[in-house]
Amino acid sequence: MMTDTTRRTFVTGATITAGAVAVTAANAATQSGGGPAATTPAAAAYPKPPYPVQRQPWPGLASKMTPRPDHGETSYKGSGKLAGKKALITGGDSGIGRAAAIAYAREGADVAINYLPSEEPDAREVIALIRAEERKAVAIPGDLRDERFCRRLVQQASEQLGGLDILINNAARQQTRPGIADISSQDFDDTMKTNVYAPFWLTRAALERMGAGAVIVNTSSEQAGNPSPDIVDYALTRAAVLNFTKSMAKQLASRGIRVNAVAPGPFWTPLQVSGGATPEKLRSFGGDSPMARAGQPAEIAALYVAAADPSLSYSTGQIFGSTGGNGQPA
């Protein structure tokens, strides 16, 4: 629903074409005697604060962000880790979900993405990128706050993909509020329904169709262990997802189904520019991390691959963190 055409990568303070970055990375590899360019360009090529202050209506579009996020459109190189797998990714139109969708397709998986109808422009780009890898791509828009839709989503994804091996519960809602008195009951309900109820509903429905070897990957956050004061409702949902992951891993181990989580730190996605951060926080977003910048979605995609990689069959109930140096989230 949220947070994944041709995308661009960036240099500090300015946007340049992704092709130029790819060429630069390739040249650097050649000059150093290395092989092909790395999956992501050199970290030094990514923008650092201050970022332009901008605001979009919820849930926002990556295609309208400045600078535009790098989801690995031109850089991610797969190696068949997920060949033949069938994956459903919520929030697969933009942000981290988009990066995961691109990576999964390039690792050989067929991919269904879910997103809100207003995110259709971003979703069309992702579908084109998946199909460019000659993988099956399925677009299923809809609101995850609706339990009946969640059941239909799993059913449609499974039917159209020809099965379901991987579920990524990634979609999330985040809206900054200065104090608890500013969080309306409707706000709280919308955040809980999107971030906690939906993963529960989707997991329950998916398990009716999953067999041994299947994997569920949940997106949590560093907010689970180090919550910010202005996103109280969001932070508590990330802690809930972390515990959900660990308990379900124990429950499903006997069935041969693994459950892992990825916990991002500050990543440059539409979540931030559509109400998830104040203008002041947005401008310096990620600047207080040891890496002194926000992460780009391309930099975390490989963790979603690792979380579902069949070769890591002893890894369940694990939390894969990517926080720019802020430490393991939990």
Side-chain angles (χ1 to χ4, degrees), residues 108-238:
D110 295 327
V111 182
I113 62 169
N114 161 256
Y115 52 92
L116 286 170
S118 61
E119 298 170 301
E120 186 67 37
D122 280 356
R124 284 197 297 265
E125 296 174 359
V126 180
I127 293 299
L129 286 162
I130 296 169
R131 289 175 177 163
E133 302 303 318
E134 299 184 348
R135 306 311 309 171
K136 184 178 293 185
V138 178
I140 310 177
D143 193 336
L144 296 178
R145 293 174 298 177
D146 182 343
E147 180 179 1
R148 287 175 297 181
F149 171 72
C150 286
R151 291 195 61 82
R152 290 199 306 272
L153 171 60
V154 171
Q155 178 182 357
Q156 291 174 19
S158 180
E159 290 175 351
Q160 294 186 53
L161 290 174
L164 186 62
D165 303 301
I166 303 168
L167 168 64
I168 299 184
N169 288 309
N170 170 72
R173 181 182 189 272
Q174 175 183 319
Q175 295 289 287
T176 181
R177 298 288 186 266
I180 193 169
D182 302 296
I183 303 173
S184 69
S185 293
Q186 187 63 56
D187 268 340
F188 188 78
D189 191 56
D190 287 342
T191 301
M192 291 294 291
K193 286 283 180 63
T194 304
N195 299 5
V196 178
Y197 279 51
F200 173 82
W201 290 329
L202 292 167
T203 297
R204 189 170 59 182
L207 287 173
E208 296 175 4
R209 299 168 181 273
M210 286 178 156
V215 183
I216 297 167
V217 183
N218 298 317
T219 298
S220 181
S221 168
E222 66 176 358
Q223 291 290 322
N226 186 25
S228 298
D230 62 331
I231 47 175
V232 169
D233 51 347
Y234 173 81
L236 73 86
T237 68
R238 301 300 82 188

Side-chain angles (χ1 to χ4, degrees), residues 11 17 40 69 77 94 122 131-132 150 168 225 243 311 322:
V11 291
T17 64
T40 55
K77 303 182 189 305
S94 64
D122 280 356
R131 289 175 177 163
C150 286
I168 299 184
N243 280 309
S311 68
S322 181

